[in-house]
Amino acid sequence: MTVTEDPATAEVAPEREVGKARRRKEDARLITGRTTWTDNMVLPGMLHMSVVRSPVAHGKIANIDVSAAQQAPGVVAVLTGRDLAEEQGSIPCAWPVTADMVNPGHPSIAVDEVNHVGEAVAVIIARSRSAAADAIELVDVDYDLLPPVLDMEEAVKHEADLCHDHIDSNTSYHFVFDAGEAGTGGDTEQAFADADVVVSRRFVNQRLIPAFMEPRSVVVQPQGDNFTMWSATQIPHVLRVMLAMVTGVPEHKLRVVAPDVGGGFGGKLQVNPEEVIALLVARRLGKPVKWTETRSESLMAAHHGRDQIQYVDVAATREGDVTGLRVRILADMGAYLRLITPGVPALGAFMFPGIYKFPAYRFECDGVFTNKVPTDAYRGAGRPEATFAIERIMDELAVELGMDPLELRRRNWIQSQEFPFTTVAGLEYDSGDYDTATQQALELLGYDELREEQRRRRESNDPVQLGIGFSTFTEMCGLAPSRVLGSLSYGAGGWESASIRMLPTGKVEVVTGSTPHGQGHETAWSQLVADQLGVPFEDVEVLHGDTAVAPKGMDTYGSRSLVVGGTAVVKAADKVIAKARKVAAHLLEANEDDLDFSNGKFTVRGTPGTALSIQEIALAVFAAHDYPEDVEPSIDADATFDPVNFSFPHGTHVCAMEVDTETGFVKIRKYACVDDVGTIVNPLIVEGQVHGGLAQGIAQALYEEAVYDADGNLTTGSFVDYLVPSAADLPHFDTGNTVHVAPGNPIGAKGVGEAGCIASTPAVVNAALDAVRHLGVQDIRMPLTPERVWRALHHGGDGGDRATAGSNAYGGAQTETTAGVSTPQSSLGGDR
Ligand code: MCN
């Protein structure tokens, strides 16, 4: 081993990688088609699976005749729910939010009854994809129809039809968080009784479809009693555990691989019936099996998101100090409880107070069964719904008080010097400065000029009116401290793991438990490791998404990967350095305490010119000819990180919107946002994440809605009807950042993966309302289609399909505003 002479004079500190807008390493292979998506997999003797799906929303299966399909050319087998009844178990739900939550169970293939259009009733296994697809038509299923339960407010009434006739109610659970009872706030009822002003609203947060680019796809290869599954999933690690539990295939006999995955947005945070069935079929037939959904199947049968009816009451003083918040929601579970279906609204429960200092807060949620496809995580999962409600009602309160909406917010939000701040929901917000972010966002927007233009248009009765809407948001992400998840009855922890392998030639393999599917972890983790170990960015390879390669992991969702998984990587790197230090001390014949480590090199303090790089040490321990006696010949290291708190990114989003009062067309004139995501590892990725999130959040406000007809058919069953916007439908985004370092992780980062999606929706709706409120419009139901806007303008109400007046399921008024009285207008606990 030679010790390199390295005159200090020649040393130039390399530019830090963290903070560099590196283009993503992974993009070259992704955008040039040089990767293997699950559907590209071809295995010798591979069979193809297609799924026969229910065309009815609710019914008993009277008879299934598969004889014609079985005789079709190329068909190898046709299996029904009865055929697999012994082995298929139930699709797992890992988040029983209350002890008495009712779970109807969910067979991967329906056995006796179907509960939503698109539910699997049989599978066909054939030698080719086309043979499997063609035989679908040949399976003859007789259904005894039952009335579908489709409307949540009807479903919770006593006399309602039942979604599952073996359960005597459509309510799965009733979840309550009461700050008074939790000791984190005062008495909410008292706050409302004492209020000068109470504003009550009913908001509809419509059903959405995650609409990932790569459809769901799975390939299973049996090898004796071992199985390898490739799946377009966000959660190979969780999936493996769950499949082992559901099917009885021993966990150590099952390898799950998530190859490159083309988006998920929470929609692939799931244990899919088709994954279970493909595994069972491969086990039964002893042959590889592939299933890839069509786009229509994806829209119809992959889980949906959002779908809440929210009754929100806010209490305040006449001067504009908020004194109480009361939220009651109906959350549509769909027909079954999937992996985290019940937990989505429960997670949101803690975010309704937003960034405001409410002294009292009560939240109640009913998880309601309907004969629709189950809901589950969709980008933000519970937090966009909560943010929408609070940011909408703050605007309504401002109108009621005759205050500027921003002024009302400023008056009530947490001040920068008050961090860390424990909210009325019991969360400890870590750091931030809402004033500065807001100021910057206003400047980016050109706020003063746009307000002036708005005034001019109003005065001249311009048919095109202009409005400006805000959303000053925070969110809890970086999921999550395991103990907190445990206290919320979630079935797993929130840690993440990493390993660093120092290869003999000095190259570095980083194994991460996170599972990127568009977020660029290969690039960002390389930047972290390059800085930490002082090795070139190009010398780092990041491995992920294969339980045989990365055996431990909690996967990617909840904007957790950098904060939790990135921290595990940094901690593993620190352990590598600590191990290497012992070897370096030995080789440099120095005391460990006398060594400095920077830019990838150990130097002996006071002895300039003597240096040993960590890459040289990797070779030394590989040869293992000369290393200290009390250490092992390896500097590789593992780390597992469990955060002590969530991270709380925040930001101010401002939208300027034109509304054509003659046609109802809306157009985003300008969109500006300033987000604080703590330390930014890669500004290019962060900007991309914000843009993607904005696209989805704006799409909820303006374009997207999963619509069912009166029989329970999904009428938005293709991209012709379900309007995912293209780049051409979206405005230019003016984005900026403030940086308040997160104290809970050594990187100082907060998550960004969901921020744009959480923040943007209310800003857009608030902007549209700001444009037309003077014309008598109080609400417009999302998405703000031209028809809805026009109807709200010309016929009142919210332009949606509900009556303009009347009482909601809880006996409260739908859009009640009460100024100057001390009695709350929305009474909870009506007809349930
Ligand atoms: N990042 C950074 N600096 C920060 C925060 C994040 O450089 N302060 C970088 C990270 O290094 C990472 C990316 O931004 O490369 C996102 O990081 P993070 O916020 O930790 O989020 P996750 O990686 O955990 O991704 C999950 C999140 C979620 S929950 C959804 S939904 C979502 C999203 O990411 N789905 C996506 N972004 C998506 N992007 C794509 N292309 N496709 C999806 O399906």
Side-chain angles (χ1 to χ4, degrees):
M1 178 82 230
T2 51
V3 173
T4 50
E5 288 298 313
D6 189 3
T9 48
E11 187 82 24
V12 179
E15 203 185 332
R16 270 182 69 77
E17 280 293 336
V18 168
K20 225 187 240 184
R22 281 232 178 234
R23 284 176 182 245
R24 301 194 315 182
K25 282 184 167 186
E26 42 276 78
D27 284 349
R29 70 171 189 273
L30 293 175
I31 62 178
T32 56
R34 281 178 289 154
T35 190
T36 306
W37 306 103
T38 301
D39 191 51
N40 295 136
M41 301 271 314
V42 178
L43 297 173
M46 188 172 75
L47 300 172
H48 296 261
M49 183 170 95
S50 66
V51 182
V52 183
R53 298 187 182 277
S54 169
V56 307
H58 196 193
K60 294 278 178 201
I61 300 174
N63 187 44
I64 305 186
D65 181 357
V66 300
S67 52
Q70 267 169 338
Q71 283 149 30
V75 170
V76 173
V78 183
L79 297 167
T80 65
R82 280 195 193 287
D83 296 326
L84 294 173
E86 297 294 306
E87 45 193 310
Q88 68 168 322
S90 177
I91 291 290
C93 172
W95 205 332
V97 287
T98 60
D100 59 354
M101 182 187 87
V102 177
N103 183 352
H106 183 192
S108 291
I109 308 186
V111 179
D112 297 315
E113 62 179 47
V114 289
N115 288 296
H116 66 85
V117 167
E119 186 168 355
V121 290
V123 291
I124 294 161
I125 316 299
R127 292 203 175 79
S128 70
R129 177 176 295 183
S130 52
D134 289 349
I136 289 176
E137 296 289 311
L138 302 174
V139 175
D140 197 6
V141 189
D142 290 336
Y143 298 95
D144 292 335
L145 297 186
L146 292 166
V149 177
L150 299 167
D151 180 315
M152 279 196 283
E153 287 176 330
E154 292 299 318
V156 292
K157 291 181 178 165
H158 286 307
E159 68 278 17
D161 291 324
L162 291 173
C163 179
H164 296 276
D165 58 7
H166 62 287
I167 299 171
D168 61 4
S169 155
N170 290 319
T171 303
S172 168
Y173 67 85
H174 183 66
F175 176 88
V176 179
F177 174 83
D178 188 302
E181 287 162 18
T184 52
D187 181 335
T188 309
E189 290 313 308
Q190 195 58 47
F192 276 84
D194 294 344
D196 293 340
V197 177
V198 173
V199 174
S200 301
R201 290 289 185 273
R202 171 190 182 271
F203 298 126
V204 178
N205 209 281
Q206 81 270 29
R207 183 175 270 253
L208 299 178
I209 303 180
F212 29 75
M213 184 96 72
E214 181 202 12
R216 294 175 303 155
S217 181
V218 58
V219 174
V220 182
Q221 181 179 38
Q223 290 157 310
D225 59 357
N226 286 278
F227 298 87
T228 302
M229 173 182 285
W230 291 264
S231 181
T233 178
Q234 291 175 230
I235 52 162
H237 299 93
V238 175
L239 182 60
R240 181 196 196 204
V241 176
M242 292 296 162
L243 286 172
M245 288 179 173
V246 171
T247 65
V249 171
E251 194 180 342
H252 63 302
K253 299 285 182 188
L254 178 61
R255 172 183 175 194
V256 177
V257 186
D260 278 324
V261 174
F265 309 113
K268 290 175 182 168
L269 166 50
Q270 194 53 268
V271 177
N272 289 300
E274 296 84 356
E275 287 164 332
V276 174
I277 305 167
L279 181 57
L280 296 179
V281 167
R283 180 166 71 178
R284 192 177 266 225
L285 302 183
K287 293 251 169 103
V289 179
K290 180 198 278 186
W291 170 77
T292 300
E293 67 185 350
T294 63
R295 182 58 67 185
S296 310
E297 273 184 297
S298 186
L299 296 173
M300 188 195 339
H303 76 240
H304 293 176
R306 312 276 191 270
D307 210 346
Q308 293 184 358
I309 299 176
Q310 309 170 320
Y311 312 96
V312 188
D313 308 318
V314 66
T317 65
R318 216 179 298 279
E319 292 72 37
D321 295 319
V322 293
T323 54
L325 179 67
R326 197 165 45 191
V327 176
R328 170 133 214 166
I329 65 175
L330 298 178
D332 196 339
M333 306 284 97
Y336 300 107
L337 302 182
R338 300 293 296 274
L339 192 60
I340 62 165
T341 302
V344 170
L347 190 64
F350 301 92
M351 289 317 312
F352 278 87
I355 63 170
Y356 308 109
K357 294 186 276 186
F358 281 98
Y361 172 50
R362 182 175 169 84
F363 171 90
E364 290 181 61
C365 168
D366 281 324
V368 182
F369 291 121
T370 60
N371 293 110
K372 298 180 188 173
V373 79
T375 57
D376 206 303
Y378 172 50
R379 204 169 195 169
R383 291 152 289 159
E385 297 90 318
T387 303
F388 179 78
I390 186 64
E391 289 303 305
R392 281 285 299 107
I393 199 100
M394 287 303 275
D395 260 28
E396 299 303 307
L397 180 61
V399 170
E400 183 55 38
L401 294 168
M403 280 178 82
D404 178 277
L406 210 46
E407 192 42 46
L408 176 70
R409 286 174 167 81
R410 268 203 194 100
R411 190 179 176 99
N412 288 289
W413 69 40
I414 298 156
Q415 301 298 316
S416 57
Q417 67 277 10
E418 293 176 303
F419 288 100
F421 184 91
T422 303
T423 73
V424 72
L427 297 173
E428 190 186 277
Y429 289 4
D430 49 7
S431 64
D433 178 350
Y434 306 140
D435 281 291
T436 305
T438 302
Q439 197 46 44
Q440 288 188 17
L442 295 182
E443 282 160 22
L444 277 179
L445 188 82
Y447 180 68
D448 293 337
E449 298 91 85
L450 285 164
R451 273 282 185 235
E452 179 54 25
E453 181 182 332
Q454 178 184 42
R455 192 190 54 75
R456 282 200 308 274
R457 286 183 189 253
R458 261 191 210 175
E459 275 175 14
S460 64
N461 278 334
D462 193 323
V464 178
Q465 290 291 313
L466 187 69
I468 299 175
F470 303 100
S471 165
T472 49
F473 89 106
T474 188
E475 56 133 336
M476 61 200 278
C477 66
L479 301 183
S482 297
R483 287 188 189 87
V484 176
L485 290 177
S487 73
L488 293 172
S489 310
Y490 181 60
W495 48 264
E496 194 48 271
S497 94
S499 304
I500 294 189
R501 300 201 286 253
M502 296 298 298
L503 304 182
T505 54
K507 308 296 181 198
V508 184
E509 276 180 349
V510 178
V511 177
T512 176
S514 67
T515 304
H517 43 283
Q519 294 87 350
H521 296 177
E522 291 172 31
T523 305
W525 286 198
S526 298
Q527 290 178 268
L528 290 173
V529 170
D531 274 358
Q532 210 70 12
L533 296 182
V535 299
F537 171 84
E538 293 75 16
D539 283 357
V540 185
E541 190 70 16
V542 178
L543 307 174
H544 57 81
D546 179 343
T547 59
V549 174
K552 280 180 67 184
M554 276 294 177
D555 304 315
T556 288
Y557 43 85
S559 303
R560 67 187 305 270
S561 301
L562 178 59
V563 169
V564 191
T567 298
V569 168
V570 167
K571 287 193 173 290
D574 286 343
K575 286 187 182 175
V576 168
I577 295 166
K579 283 183 164 186
R581 181 181 291 276
K582 289 189 185 301
V583 182
H586 176 79
L587 295 173
L588 293 168
E589 296 174 353
N591 194 312
E592 263 186 68
D593 298 337
D594 292 335
L595 294 185
D596 285 330
F597 181 71
S598 75
N599 301 332
K601 293 194 176 84
F602 288 98
T603 49
V604 185
R605 219 166 295 132
T607 317
T610 317
L612 199 53
S613 80
I614 199 158
Q615 293 177 299
E616 289 170 310
I617 294 170
L619 184 61
V621 294
F622 168 73
H625 297 161
D626 185 15
Y627 64 97
E629 274 175 14
D630 57 341
V631 304
E632 56 188 13
S634 165
I635 57 171
D636 295 351
D638 303 328
T640 303
F641 177 66
D642 195 355
V644 291
N645 193 3
F646 299 92
S647 82
F648 295 91
H650 72 84
T652 299
H653 287 228
V654 201
C655 176
M657 170 83 89
E658 288 176 8
V659 179
D660 187 326
T661 57
E662 290 174 349
T663 63
F665 271 92
V666 297
K667 182 177 159 214
I668 294 181
R669 169 78 174 276
K670 219 165 171 206
Y671 195 98
C673 60
V674 172
D675 285 286
D676 195 317
V677 297
T679 305
I680 293 175
V681 172
N682 185 319
L684 196 58
I685 293 180
V686 163
E687 197 182 354
Q689 286 293 318
V690 170
H691 279 214
L694 290 177
Q696 285 178 310
I698 291 171
Q700 172 164 21
L702 299 185
Y703 304 117
E704 296 185 21
E705 180 170 27
V707 179
Y708 284 86
D709 69 12
D711 296 321
N713 296 304
L714 182 71
T715 59
T716 49
S718 79
F719 280 159
V720 172
D721 316 285
Y722 189 83
L723 298 182
V724 177
S726 73
D729 298 311
L730 295 164
H732 171 79
F733 303 129
D734 287 298
T735 61
N737 292 102
T738 57
V739 177
H740 288 83
V741 167
N745 65 80
I747 306 166
K750 305 174 182 183
V752 73
E754 297 154 296
C757 190
I758 294 170
S760 53
T761 312
V764 174
V765 176
N766 283 339
L769 285 166
D770 186 54
V772 293
R773 205 180 277 276
H774 65 292
L775 301 173
V777 179
Q778 281 201 345
D779 195 11
I780 309 173
R781 188 166 151 183
M782 296 189 292
L784 308 184
T785 59
E787 183 189 348
R788 281 190 177 153
V789 175
W790 189 89
R791 282 159 61 113
L793 275 161
H794 296 275
H795 296 290
D798 66 1
D801 52 9
R802 73 188 169 88
T804 55
S807 57
N808 64 39
Y810 299 104
Q814 289 175 341
T815 54
E816 196 79 37
T817 298
T818 310
V821 293
S822 58
T823 4
Q825 291 298 297
S826 175
S827 66
L828 299 174
D831 184 8
R832 293 188 46 237

